[in-house]
Amino acid sequence: MVLSLDPALQLPRTLDLSAYRIVQEGLTNVLKHAAPCAATVDVHRDGDAVVVEVADDGPGLPDQHVPGRGLLGIAERVSLCGGVLEQGRGSERGFTLRAVLPLP
């Protein structure tokens, strides 16, 4: 696993907790559904937002995939922060979860 965090990134407590929980659930999903594989986590500032991305190089989603509670919980958390969630197949294979959370 590769972990990339911007060391200068200081977040409000609620946003910090949301980012942490998104990473936690994203990595839990990697272990449950894609292992064995490699995963990357990237948390960085992009303008007036924090971007949280968890990606793996596992087998990817089956064609008839129905999101489970973990992804629905992430979507609700991102929505409460006023953010945008992108999820789906990675660029070549695997799965990518990308949350963009606006800074207050």
Side-chain angles (χ1 to χ4, degrees):
M1 176 176 70
V2 176
L3 178 61
S4 170
L5 296 174
D6 181 347
L9 191 59
Q10 295 294 317
L11 301 177
R13 184 168 168 75
T14 56
L15 203 56
D16 187 60
L17 179 60
S18 292
Y20 174 85
R21 294 290 292 151
I22 291 165
V23 169
Q24 183 182 39
E25 184 61 36
L27 289 175
T28 297
N29 285 344
V30 169
L31 288 172
K32 283 177 144 181
H33 305 294
C37 71
T40 60
V41 174
D42 182 30
V43 180
H44 66 274
R45 183 178 185 148
D46 186 5
D48 291 338
V50 174
V51 178
V52 179
E53 185 171 283
V54 180
D56 68 65
D57 64 357
L61 295 173
D63 290 335
Q64 302 301 321
H65 173 73
V66 176
R69 290 183 193 194
L71 289 175
L72 292 174
I74 291 172
E76 289 173 358
R77 184 176 296 278
V78 170
S79 178
L80 286 172
C81 292
V84 176
L85 178 65
E86 300 168 5
Q87 58 186 358
R89 294 184 191 277
S91 59
E92 293 183 26
R93 59 179 272 159
F95 186 81
T96 299
L97 175 73
R98 185 174 192 268
V100 180
L101 309 172
L103 292 166

